């Protein structure tokens, strides 16, 4: 059975950049995601930049997950191994269901670009309150890989044989 639609279903997508140093002017990763999602026909619900603080991240993501106006959350940054990288720890407890395949596929695709360095990626995805949440590394290249290699198709109702849209609307 196909779970694909014949037409695009525009989704409301919120974008969060997690960084201790980036500003709106220097946030190339967040800007890429906004341009990519709007270019694909989706709507930007909200965009924010937060310092890498587990509780501030969790508070904002909780608000977005609770909002009927947000169907997808994409987070860039805070997925590495430094002491300040807490995005997976912030987001993980909020998820009802983890999408294991998202992180696995992201690392598989990234392996083609970076080799074994991809093992240090803690990219993850999940569903919470009918909201899809995806955590990507902070580089613009990683955001490009995540969007072009996975999210563009999985957030498109026309993608066959299945996509996430049916779980979000």
């Amino acid at each position: 059975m196909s779970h694909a639609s014949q037409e695009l279903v525009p989704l409301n997508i919120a974008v969060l950049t997690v960084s201790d140093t980036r500003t709106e002017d220097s946030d190339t990763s967040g800007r890429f995601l906004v341009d990519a999602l709007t270019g694909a026909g989706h709507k930007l619900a909200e965009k924010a930049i937060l310092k890498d603080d587990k509780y501030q991240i969790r508070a904002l993501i909780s608000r977005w997950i609770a909002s009927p106006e947000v169907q997808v959350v994409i987070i860039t940054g805070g997925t590495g191994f430094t002491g300040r990288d807490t995005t997976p720890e912030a987001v993980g407890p909020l998820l009802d269901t983890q999408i294991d395949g998202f992180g696995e596929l992201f690392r598989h695709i990234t392996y083609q670009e970076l080799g074994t360095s991809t093992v240090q990626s803690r990219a993850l995805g999940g569903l919470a309150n009918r909201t899809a949440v995806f955590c990507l590394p902070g580089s613009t290249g990683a955001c490009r890989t995540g969007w072009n290699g996975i999210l563009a198709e999985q957030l498109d109702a026309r993608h066959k044989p299945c996509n996430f849209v049916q779980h979000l609307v």
Side-chain angles (χ1 to χ4, degrees):
M1 179 172 137
S2 175
H3 293 100
S5 170
Q6 298 291 46
E7 56 189 60
L8 177 73
V9 175
L11 299 171
N12 295 322
I13 303 176
V15 174
L16 171 62
T17 298
V18 175
S19 173
D20 290 341
T21 59
R22 292 193 187 169
T23 65
E24 283 300 329
D25 289 337
S26 64
D27 181 19
T28 58
S29 299
R31 190 172 324 119
F32 169 80
L33 290 169
V34 169
D35 291 347
L37 72 91
T38 56
H42 299 295
K43 299 172 190 161
L44 179 64
E46 194 171 334
K47 182 182 181 304
I49 298 175
L50 285 179
K51 300 243 183 264
D52 204 330
D53 178 283
K54 169 168 55 175
Y55 300 102
Q56 288 183 29
I57 296 166
R58 197 173 286 164
L60 179 59
I61 300 306
S62 293
R63 182 171 62 81
W64 284 346
I65 289 168
S67 172
E69 302 302 315
V70 177
Q71 295 156 314
V72 179
V73 174
I74 304 174
I75 305 161
T76 174
T79 61
F81 277 98
T82 72
R84 297 285 301 152
D85 291 322
T86 62
T87 299
E89 290 76 18
V91 173
L94 302 176
L95 300 176
D96 299 326
T97 306
Q98 190 159 325
I99 304 168
D100 295 326
F102 176 76
E104 294 166 359
L105 182 56
F106 179 82
R107 284 180 284 280
H108 173 76
I109 294 168
T110 304
Y111 178 77
Q112 310 304 315
E113 302 167 5
L114 302 177
T116 61
S117 294
T118 194
V119 300
Q120 294 192 32
S121 169
R122 298 192 306 145
L124 69 102
L127 295 172
N129 192 34
R130 296 186 63 85
T131 303
V133 181
F134 301 100
C135 303
L136 294 167
S139 76
T140 305
C143 290
R144 187 175 295 108
T145 297
W147 180 266
N148 293 337
I150 306 170
L151 296 176
E153 288 183 349
Q154 285 299 300
L155 298 178
D156 188 332
R158 300 167 295 187
H159 180 72
K160 296 177 183 180
C162 60
N163 56 74
F164 285 115
V165 177
Q166 67 172 340
H167 304 290
L168 310 176
V169 293

